[in-house]
Protein backbone atom coordinates (compact mmCIF):
# COMPACT_ATOMS: atom_id res chain seq x y z
CA UNK A 1 0.00 0.00 0.00
CA UNK A 2 1.25 3.49 -0.93
CA UNK A 3 0.19 6.67 0.86
CA UNK A 4 0.47 10.31 -0.18
CA UNK A 5 -0.65 13.76 0.88
CA UNK A 6 -1.84 16.20 -1.78
CA UNK A 7 -1.51 19.92 -1.00
CA UNK A 8 -1.54 22.86 -3.43
CA UNK A 9 -2.16 26.56 -3.91
CA UNK A 10 -0.59 27.63 -0.63
CA UNK A 11 0.51 30.93 -2.18
CA UNK A 12 3.26 31.60 0.36
CA UNK A 13 4.07 35.28 0.33
CA UNK A 14 0.42 36.28 -0.16
CA UNK A 15 0.01 39.73 1.41
CA UNK A 16 -3.65 39.77 2.57
CA UNK A 17 -3.77 43.46 1.60
CA UNK A 18 -7.55 43.68 1.97
CA UNK A 19 -7.22 43.22 5.72
CA UNK A 20 -6.09 45.84 8.23
CA UNK A 21 -2.29 45.85 8.48
CA UNK A 22 -2.06 44.13 11.86
CA UNK A 23 -4.47 41.37 10.84
CA UNK A 24 -2.72 40.94 7.49
CA UNK A 25 0.55 40.26 9.30
CA UNK A 26 -1.15 37.64 11.48
CA UNK A 27 -2.60 35.95 8.41
CA UNK A 28 0.79 35.89 6.66
CA UNK A 29 2.29 34.12 9.65
CA UNK A 30 -0.66 31.72 9.83
CA UNK A 31 -0.25 30.85 6.16
CA UNK A 32 3.30 29.64 6.78
CA UNK A 33 2.11 27.77 9.87
CA UNK A 34 -0.54 26.01 7.80
CA UNK A 35 2.09 25.01 5.23
CA UNK A 36 4.33 23.59 7.94
CA UNK A 37 1.35 21.81 9.50
CA UNK A 38 0.70 20.18 6.13
CA UNK A 39 4.27 18.88 6.07
CA UNK A 40 3.96 17.68 9.64
CA UNK A 41 0.72 15.90 8.75
CA UNK A 42 2.44 14.10 5.85
CA UNK A 43 5.25 13.09 8.19
CA UNK A 44 2.99 11.78 10.96
CA UNK A 45 0.93 9.82 8.43
CA UNK A 46 4.19 8.22 7.25
CA UNK A 47 3.33 8.83 3.63
CA UNK A 48 5.56 7.88 0.72
CA UNK A 49 4.88 11.05 -1.29
CA UNK A 50 3.91 14.67 -0.77
CA UNK A 51 2.29 15.90 -3.99
CA UNK A 52 2.51 19.68 -4.56
CA UNK A 53 0.77 20.59 -7.85
CA UNK A 54 1.62 24.25 -8.09
CA UNK A 55 1.40 27.75 -6.65
CA UNK A 56 3.42 27.00 -3.57
CA UNK A 57 4.55 30.63 -3.83
CA UNK A 58 2.26 33.54 -4.65
CA UNK A 59 4.65 34.93 -7.27
CA UNK A 60 7.46 33.82 -9.57
CA UNK A 61 10.16 35.69 -7.60
CA UNK A 62 9.61 34.92 -3.91
CA UNK A 63 11.91 36.39 -1.29
CA UNK A 64 15.10 34.39 -0.89
CA UNK A 65 14.53 33.98 2.84
CA UNK A 66 11.08 32.53 2.18
CA UNK A 67 12.48 30.12 -0.40
CA UNK A 68 15.12 28.95 2.06
CA UNK A 69 12.48 28.47 4.76
CA UNK A 70 10.55 26.22 2.35
CA UNK A 71 13.68 24.26 1.42
CA UNK A 72 14.56 23.71 5.07
CA UNK A 73 11.01 22.64 5.89
CA UNK A 74 10.93 20.13 3.03
CA UNK A 75 14.31 18.72 4.03
CA UNK A 76 12.97 18.14 7.54
CA UNK A 77 10.32 15.67 6.34
CA UNK A 78 12.74 13.33 4.54
CA UNK A 79 12.46 10.51 3.62
CA UNK A 80 9.03 11.66 2.35
CA UNK A 81 9.45 12.22 -1.40
CA UNK A 82 8.22 15.70 -2.38
CA UNK A 83 6.90 16.00 -5.95
CA UNK A 84 6.56 19.60 -7.23
CA UNK A 85 4.91 20.90 -10.41
CA UNK A 86 5.15 24.69 -10.64
CA UNK A 87 1.90 26.59 -11.31
CA UNK A 88 0.84 29.76 -13.08
CA UNK A 89 1.75 32.01 -10.12
CA UNK A 90 5.17 30.50 -9.34
CA UNK A 91 6.06 29.32 -12.86
CA UNK A 92 9.55 27.97 -13.65
CA UNK A 93 11.00 30.68 -15.90
CA UNK A 94 14.75 30.75 -16.75
CA UNK A 95 16.46 31.77 -13.52
CA UNK A 96 13.56 30.58 -11.37
CA UNK A 97 14.19 29.12 -7.93
CA UNK A 98 12.71 25.86 -9.25
CA UNK A 99 15.63 25.49 -11.65
CA UNK A 100 18.25 25.76 -8.90
CA UNK A 101 18.33 21.98 -8.65
CA UNK A 102 21.46 21.83 -6.48
CA UNK A 103 19.86 24.02 -3.80
CA UNK A 104 16.83 21.81 -3.17
CA UNK A 105 16.96 18.88 -0.71
CA UNK A 106 17.56 15.38 -2.08
CA UNK A 107 14.00 14.32 -1.22
CA UNK A 108 12.53 17.03 -3.50
CA UNK A 109 11.72 16.26 -7.16
CA UNK A 110 10.82 19.21 -9.42
CA UNK A 111 9.17 18.58 -12.78
CA UNK A 112 10.53 20.41 -15.85
CA UNK A 113 8.19 22.35 -18.19
CA UNK A 114 7.25 19.25 -20.18
CA UNK A 115 5.50 15.96 -19.40
CA UNK A 116 7.89 13.45 -17.88
CA UNK A 117 8.21 11.11 -14.92
CA UNK A 118 10.34 10.01 -11.99
CA UNK A 119 10.68 6.28 -11.33
CA UNK A 120 10.45 4.73 -7.87
CA UNK A 121 11.03 1.02 -8.53
CA UNK A 122 11.19 0.23 -4.83
CA UNK A 123 7.51 1.27 -4.64
CA UNK A 124 6.52 0.03 -8.11
CA UNK A 125 5.42 3.59 -8.87
CA UNK A 126 5.94 6.29 -11.47
CA UNK A 127 5.10 9.92 -10.70
CA UNK A 128 4.36 12.02 -13.79
CA UNK A 129 4.11 15.77 -14.11
CA UNK A 130 5.08 19.05 -15.74
CA UNK A 131 5.60 22.62 -14.59
CA UNK A 132 4.32 25.90 -15.98
CA UNK A 133 7.15 27.87 -17.61
CA UNK A 134 5.08 31.07 -18.02
CA UNK A 135 1.94 32.60 -16.47
CA UNK A 136 -0.22 31.01 -19.18
CA UNK A 137 -0.28 27.51 -20.62
CA UNK A 138 -2.57 27.40 -23.63
CA UNK A 139 -2.10 23.74 -24.60
CA UNK A 140 -2.55 20.88 -22.17
CA UNK A 141 0.62 19.50 -20.61
CA UNK A 142 -1.09 16.19 -19.84
CA UNK A 143 -0.15 13.23 -22.02
CA UNK A 144 -0.88 9.47 -21.92
CA UNK A 145 1.49 7.49 -19.70
CA UNK A 146 3.32 4.26 -20.43
CA UNK A 147 1.33 1.09 -19.99
CA UNK A 148 3.16 -0.76 -17.22
CA UNK A 149 1.03 -3.44 -15.54
CA UNK A 150 1.58 -3.53 -11.80
CA UNK A 151 3.00 0.00 -11.69
CA UNK A 152 1.14 2.76 -9.84
CA UNK A 153 0.87 5.81 -12.13
CA UNK A 154 0.29 9.19 -10.44
CA UNK A 155 0.18 12.58 -12.17
CA UNK A 156 0.97 15.96 -10.58
CA UNK A 157 -0.24 19.02 -12.53
CA UNK A 158 -1.44 22.57 -12.16
CA UNK A 159 -4.34 23.07 -14.54
CA UNK A 160 -7.99 23.71 -15.28
CA UNK A 161 -10.36 20.74 -15.36
CA UNK A 162 -13.29 22.98 -14.38
CA UNK A 163 -13.56 25.18 -17.49
CA UNK A 164 -11.10 23.63 -19.94
CA UNK A 165 -12.79 24.71 -23.18
CA UNK A 166 -11.44 28.27 -23.13
CA UNK A 167 -8.87 28.10 -20.34
CA UNK A 168 -5.36 29.56 -20.63
CA UNK A 169 -4.20 27.70 -17.52
CA UNK A 170 -3.30 24.25 -18.87
CA UNK A 171 -6.76 23.11 -20.05
CA UNK A 172 -7.61 19.59 -18.91
CA UNK A 173 -10.66 18.25 -20.77
CA UNK A 174 -12.28 15.05 -19.55
CA UNK A 175 -11.09 13.16 -22.64
CA UNK A 176 -7.46 14.06 -21.93
CA UNK A 177 -7.75 12.98 -18.29
CA UNK A 178 -9.44 9.69 -19.26
CA UNK A 179 -6.86 9.10 -21.99
CA UNK A 180 -3.93 9.64 -19.64
CA UNK A 181 -4.35 6.14 -18.14
CA UNK A 182 -3.18 7.46 -14.78
CA UNK A 183 -4.43 5.86 -11.58
CA UNK A 184 -4.61 9.30 -9.95
CA UNK A 185 -4.16 12.87 -11.14
CA UNK A 186 -3.32 15.36 -8.38
CA UNK A 187 -4.38 18.82 -9.51
CA UNK A 188 -3.78 22.38 -8.38
CA UNK A 189 -5.24 25.74 -9.48
CA UNK A 190 -8.82 25.48 -8.18
CA UNK A 191 -8.92 26.61 -4.54
CA UNK A 192 -11.71 24.34 -3.35
CA UNK A 193 -11.69 20.60 -2.72
CA UNK A 194 -13.18 18.58 -5.58
CA UNK A 195 -12.97 14.92 -6.63
CA UNK A 196 -14.13 13.20 -9.82
CA UNK A 197 -13.37 10.38 -12.26
CA UNK A 198 -12.76 10.47 -16.01
CA UNK A 199 -12.62 7.04 -17.59
CA UNK A 200 -10.46 4.93 -15.29
CA UNK A 201 -8.55 7.95 -13.96
CA UNK A 202 -9.54 9.44 -10.62
CA UNK A 203 -8.55 13.05 -10.13
CA UNK A 204 -8.93 15.74 -7.50
CA UNK A 205 -8.19 19.23 -6.34
CA UNK A 206 -7.27 19.42 -2.65
CA UNK A 207 -8.05 23.13 -2.76
CA UNK A 208 -6.02 25.76 -0.95
CA UNK A 209 -5.06 24.68 2.60
CA UNK A 210 -5.75 28.21 3.87
CA UNK A 211 -8.27 30.72 2.53
CA UNK A 212 -7.02 33.98 1.02
CA UNK A 213 -10.26 35.99 0.93
CA UNK A 214 -14.04 35.93 0.85
CA UNK A 215 -14.01 34.20 -2.52
CA UNK A 216 -12.61 31.09 -0.78
CA UNK A 217 -15.22 30.08 1.77
CA UNK A 218 -15.41 27.23 4.26
CA UNK A 219 -12.96 24.69 5.55
CA UNK A 220 -9.64 24.27 3.73
CA UNK A 221 -7.08 21.50 3.93
CA UNK A 222 -5.30 18.62 2.22
CA UNK A 223 -6.12 15.18 0.86
CA UNK A 224 -4.73 12.01 2.38
CA UNK A 225 -4.43 9.46 -0.43
CA UNK A 226 -4.21 5.70 -0.05
CA UNK A 227 -3.46 3.37 -2.96
CA UNK A 228 -4.23 -0.33 -2.50
CA UNK A 229 -3.70 -2.48 -5.59
CA UNK A 230 -3.68 0.71 -7.65
CA UNK A 231 -7.11 1.79 -6.41
CA UNK A 232 -7.10 5.26 -4.81
CA UNK A 233 -9.10 6.57 -1.90
CA UNK A 234 -8.97 10.21 -0.81
CA UNK A 235 -9.84 11.67 2.59
CA UNK A 236 -10.10 15.42 3.20
CA UNK A 237 -8.33 16.75 6.31
CA UNK A 238 -8.81 20.30 7.55
CA UNK A 239 -5.66 22.38 8.01
CA UNK A 240 -6.80 26.01 7.92
CA UNK A 241 -6.26 28.27 10.90
CA UNK A 242 -9.40 30.28 10.10
CA UNK A 243 -12.37 30.02 7.76
CA UNK A 244 -13.86 32.73 5.55
CA UNK A 245 -17.67 32.86 5.56
CA UNK A 246 -20.45 35.09 4.25
CA UNK A 247 -23.51 35.48 6.48
CA UNK A 248 -26.73 37.51 6.38
CA UNK A 249 -28.37 38.35 9.71
CA UNK A 250 -31.87 39.77 10.21
CA UNK A 251 -31.77 42.37 13.02
CA UNK A 252 -35.40 43.52 12.76
CA UNK A 253 -36.01 42.86 16.47
CA UNK A 254 -32.85 44.54 17.77
CA UNK A 255 -33.24 47.64 19.97
CA UNK A 256 -29.59 48.63 20.39
CA UNK A 257 -26.05 48.02 19.13
CA UNK A 258 -25.59 45.40 21.84
CA UNK A 259 -28.75 43.61 20.70
CA UNK A 260 -27.32 43.60 17.19
CA UNK A 261 -24.01 42.18 18.41
CA UNK A 262 -25.78 39.44 20.37
CA UNK A 263 -27.97 38.55 17.39
CA UNK A 264 -24.90 38.36 15.18
CA UNK A 265 -23.00 36.23 17.70
CA UNK A 266 -25.87 33.73 17.87
CA UNK A 267 -26.10 33.57 14.07
CA UNK A 268 -22.37 33.00 13.61
CA UNK A 269 -22.31 30.36 16.30
CA UNK A 270 -25.16 28.56 14.56
CA UNK A 271 -23.35 28.86 11.21
CA UNK A 272 -19.94 27.42 12.12
CA UNK A 273 -19.95 26.40 15.80
CA UNK A 274 -18.62 27.61 19.12
CA UNK A 275 -15.19 28.59 17.77
CA UNK A 276 -16.67 31.11 15.33
CA UNK A 277 -14.74 34.04 16.81
CA UNK A 278 -11.53 32.73 15.15
CA UNK A 279 -13.02 33.03 11.67
CA UNK A 280 -13.48 35.88 9.21
CA UNK A 281 -17.02 36.84 8.27
CA UNK A 282 -18.39 39.11 5.59
CA UNK A 283 -21.63 40.12 7.25
CA UNK A 284 -24.79 41.62 5.74
CA UNK A 285 -27.39 43.10 8.09
CA UNK A 286 -30.95 42.76 6.84
CA UNK A 287 -34.43 43.47 8.16
CA UNK A 288 -36.49 46.56 8.96
CA UNK A 289 -35.80 49.03 11.76
CA UNK A 290 -37.93 51.79 13.23
CA UNK A 291 -36.44 55.25 12.52
CA UNK A 292 -35.92 55.99 16.21
CA UNK A 293 -34.03 52.77 17.07
CA UNK A 294 -30.56 53.79 18.39
CA UNK A 295 -28.47 51.52 16.17
CA UNK A 296 -25.32 52.52 14.29
CA UNK A 297 -24.04 49.66 12.14
CA UNK A 298 -20.53 51.09 11.80
CA UNK A 299 -20.05 50.75 15.58
CA UNK A 300 -20.99 47.06 15.68
CA UNK A 301 -17.69 45.46 14.50
CA UNK A 302 -15.74 47.02 17.39
CA UNK A 303 -18.46 45.95 19.81
CA UNK A 304 -18.33 42.39 18.48
CA UNK A 305 -14.58 42.33 19.06
CA UNK A 306 -15.00 43.69 22.60
CA UNK A 307 -17.82 41.37 23.64
CA UNK A 308 -17.00 38.21 21.69
CA UNK A 309 -13.34 38.59 20.68
CA UNK A 310 -14.13 38.26 16.96
CA UNK A 311 -11.17 38.37 14.58
CA UNK A 312 -12.61 40.20 11.57
CA UNK A 313 -16.26 40.94 10.79
CA UNK A 314 -16.78 43.72 8.21
CA UNK A 315 -20.44 44.71 7.97
CA UNK A 316 -22.67 45.85 5.13
CA UNK A 317 -25.90 47.47 6.28
CA UNK A 318 -28.80 46.42 4.05
CA UNK A 319 -31.52 47.16 6.60
CA UNK A 320 -34.42 49.42 5.65
CA UNK A 321 -36.81 51.63 7.62
CA UNK A 322 -39.86 49.84 9.00
CA UNK A 323 -43.04 50.78 7.13
CA UNK A 324 -46.67 50.41 8.19
CA UNK A 325 -47.78 49.01 4.85
CA UNK A 326 -51.45 48.64 5.86
CA UNK A 327 -51.71 52.31 6.83
CA UNK A 328 -49.81 53.40 3.73
CA UNK A 329 -52.19 51.39 1.51
CA UNK A 330 -55.11 53.51 2.80
CA UNK A 331 -53.59 56.74 1.51
CA UNK A 332 -55.24 58.29 -1.55
CA UNK A 333 -51.88 58.86 -3.24
CA UNK A 334 -49.69 57.24 -5.90
CA UNK A 335 -47.58 55.54 -3.21
CA UNK A 336 -50.73 54.40 -1.42
CA UNK A 337 -52.21 52.96 -4.63
CA UNK A 338 -48.90 51.21 -5.42
CA UNK A 339 -48.73 49.74 -1.90
CA UNK A 340 -52.33 48.52 -2.06
CA UNK A 341 -51.77 46.71 -5.37
CA UNK A 342 -48.50 45.17 -4.22
CA UNK A 343 -50.01 43.90 -0.96
CA UNK A 344 -52.82 42.32 -2.96
CA UNK A 345 -50.27 40.65 -5.27
CA UNK A 346 -48.29 39.35 -2.29
CA UNK A 347 -51.41 37.93 -0.62
CA UNK A 348 -52.30 36.01 -3.80
CA UNK A 349 -48.81 34.85 -4.77
CA UNK A 350 -47.38 31.41 -4.13
CA UNK A 351 -44.72 31.11 -1.41
CA UNK A 352 -41.82 30.98 -3.86
CA UNK A 353 -42.85 34.29 -5.44
CA UNK A 354 -43.61 36.23 -2.25
CA UNK A 355 -40.02 37.20 -1.28
CA UNK A 356 -39.48 38.75 -4.72
CA UNK A 357 -42.72 40.74 -4.49
CA UNK A 358 -41.96 41.87 -0.94
CA UNK A 359 -38.58 43.13 -2.09
CA UNK A 360 -40.27 44.92 -5.02
CA UNK A 361 -42.68 46.58 -2.57
CA UNK A 362 -39.81 47.74 -0.36
CA UNK A 363 -37.73 49.10 -3.24
CA UNK A 364 -40.77 50.72 -4.83
CA UNK A 365 -41.62 52.65 -1.66
CA UNK A 366 -38.00 53.75 -1.27
CA UNK A 367 -38.04 54.93 -4.89
CA UNK A 368 -41.22 56.94 -4.29
CA UNK A 369 -39.54 58.61 -1.30
CA UNK A 370 -36.39 59.38 -3.28
CA UNK A 371 -34.22 56.80 -1.56
CA UNK A 372 -33.43 54.97 -4.80
CA UNK A 373 -32.22 56.62 -7.99
CA UNK A 374 -31.46 55.33 -11.48
CA UNK A 375 -27.86 54.83 -10.37
CA UNK A 376 -29.05 52.18 -7.89
Amino acid sequence: MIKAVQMSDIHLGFQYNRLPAELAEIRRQELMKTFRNGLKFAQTQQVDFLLLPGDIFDGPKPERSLVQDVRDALADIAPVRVMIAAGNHDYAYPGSVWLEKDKWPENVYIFPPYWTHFDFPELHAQIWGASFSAPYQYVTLLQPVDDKPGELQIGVLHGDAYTPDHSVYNPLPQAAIAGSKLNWLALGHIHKEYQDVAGDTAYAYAGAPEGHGFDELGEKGVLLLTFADGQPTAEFNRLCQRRYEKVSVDISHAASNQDVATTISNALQQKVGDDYSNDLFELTLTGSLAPDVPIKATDVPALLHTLYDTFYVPIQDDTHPAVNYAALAQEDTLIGNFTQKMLHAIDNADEAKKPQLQAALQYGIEAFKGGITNED
Side-chain angles (χ1 to χ4, degrees):
M1 182 176 70
I2 291 177
K3 295 173 68 178
V5 162
Q6 179 178 330
M7 176 170 63
S8 69
D9 298 282
I10 307 101
H11 288 269
L12 294 172
F14 188 80
Q15 292 300 298
Y16 291 97
N17 287 331
R18 294 187 178 182
L19 295 177
E22 66 276 12
L23 299 187
E25 178 58 30
I26 291 172
R27 293 296 290 142
R28 287 192 287 270
Q29 294 176 13
E30 290 176 343
L31 186 59
M32 175 55 81
K33 181 179 180 180
T34 294
F35 172 66
R36 289 184 176 274
N37 284 350
L39 304 189
K40 186 182 300 183
F41 177 72
Q43 195 172 32
T44 57
Q45 294 295 318
Q46 298 182 317
V47 302
D48 302 288
F49 298 102
L50 173 61
L51 312 177
L52 300 177
D55 287 359
I56 297 170
F57 299 110
D58 190 50
K61 298 180 180 180
E63 292 184 3
R64 303 303 298 188
S65 60
L66 176 60
V67 175
Q68 191 57 50
D69 286 345
V70 169
R71 287 169 173 161
D72 291 343
L74 295 179
D76 286 344
I77 66 169
V80 175
R81 305 158 183 85
V82 182
M83 316 303 298
I84 296 176
N88 64 295
H89 276 256
D90 59 358
Y91 54 92
Y93 63 95
S96 163
V97 297
W98 299 125
L99 302 184
E100 299 173 335
K101 298 292 181 66
D102 58 326
K103 295 184 179 181
W104 289 92
E106 291 184 359
N107 63 316
V108 174
Y109 300 80
I110 302 171
F111 289 101
Y114 53 86
W115 187 245
T116 188
H117 67 275
F118 293 100
D119 286 312
F120 300 94
E122 71 279 12
L123 296 174
H124 302 287
Q126 289 185 319
I127 312 298
W128 295 78
S131 288
F132 273 57
S133 60
Y136 303 107
Q137 176 63 41
Y138 299 95
V139 179
T140 185
L141 293 165
L142 179 63
Q143 300 295 323
V145 304
D146 301 332
D147 185 15
K148 289 192 174 183
E151 289 279 308
L152 178 64
Q153 308 272 16
I154 297 175
V156 183
L157 265 183
H158 201 78
D160 188 354
Y162 255 56
T163 55
D165 290 348
H166 306 288
S167 179
V168 296
Y169 301 109
N170 187 27
L172 298 167
Q174 290 279 296
I177 297 175
S180 72
K181 304 301 181 183
L182 292 163
N183 299 96
W184 181 265
L185 178 57
L187 293 175
H189 187 60
I190 303 300
H191 287 201
K192 64 180 179 179
E193 190 256 339
Y194 176 79
Q195 300 181 36
D196 205 347
V197 177
D200 294 327
T201 299
Y203 67 96
Y205 292 95
E210 189 74 46
H212 303 91
F214 287 107
D215 54 346
E216 299 178 14
L217 305 180
E219 293 192 332
K220 302 295 181 182
V222 298
L223 292 176
L224 176 61
L225 311 175
T226 304
F227 299 91
D229 297 324
Q231 297 302 310
T233 59
E235 175 187 322
F236 176 80
N237 290 264
R238 173 178 169 168
L239 276 188
C240 62
Q241 311 293 313
R242 305 178 194 273
R243 290 164 290 193
Y244 286 80
E245 299 287 354
K246 293 184 178 182
V247 182
S248 294
V249 179
D250 188 329
I251 60 167
S252 296
H253 301 293
S256 66
N257 285 344
Q258 185 158 326
D259 280 353
V260 174
T262 301
T263 301
I264 291 171
S265 174
N266 292 337
L268 301 187
Q269 186 177 34
Q270 184 176 8
K271 172 76 174 179
V272 300
D274 293 339
D275 63 344
Y276 73 88
S277 63
N278 291 324
D279 297 327
L280 299 91
F281 294 93
E282 189 175 80
L283 196 66
T284 302
L285 300 182
T286 64
S288 58
L289 296 173
D292 58 346
V293 173
I295 290 175
K296 187 177 180 182
T298 53
D299 291 342
V300 174
L303 189 59
L304 279 168
H305 181 70
T306 299
L307 296 177
Y308 301 106
D309 198 28
T310 53
F311 183 75
Y312 183 64
V313 187
I315 287 178
Q316 177 178 323
D317 184 4
D318 279 358
T319 59
H320 57 274
V323 177
N324 186 336
Y325 293 113
L328 194 59
Q330 300 303 312
E331 293 183 7
D332 187 17
T333 61
L334 283 174
I335 191 173
N337 187 43
F338 167 77
T339 302
Q340 185 181 77
K341 290 183 176 180
M342 288 300 299
L343 289 177
H344 178 75
I346 291 169
D347 287 342
N348 290 279
D350 57 51
E351 291 303 315
K353 188 74 171 177
K354 282 185 178 181
Q356 183 178 353
L357 291 171
Q358 288 166 342
L361 172 58
Q362 172 197 330
Y363 295 140
I365 289 174
E366 290 183 21
F368 270 110
K369 293 182 176 181
I372 293 180
T373 68
N374 287 336
E375 292 182 358
D376 298 313

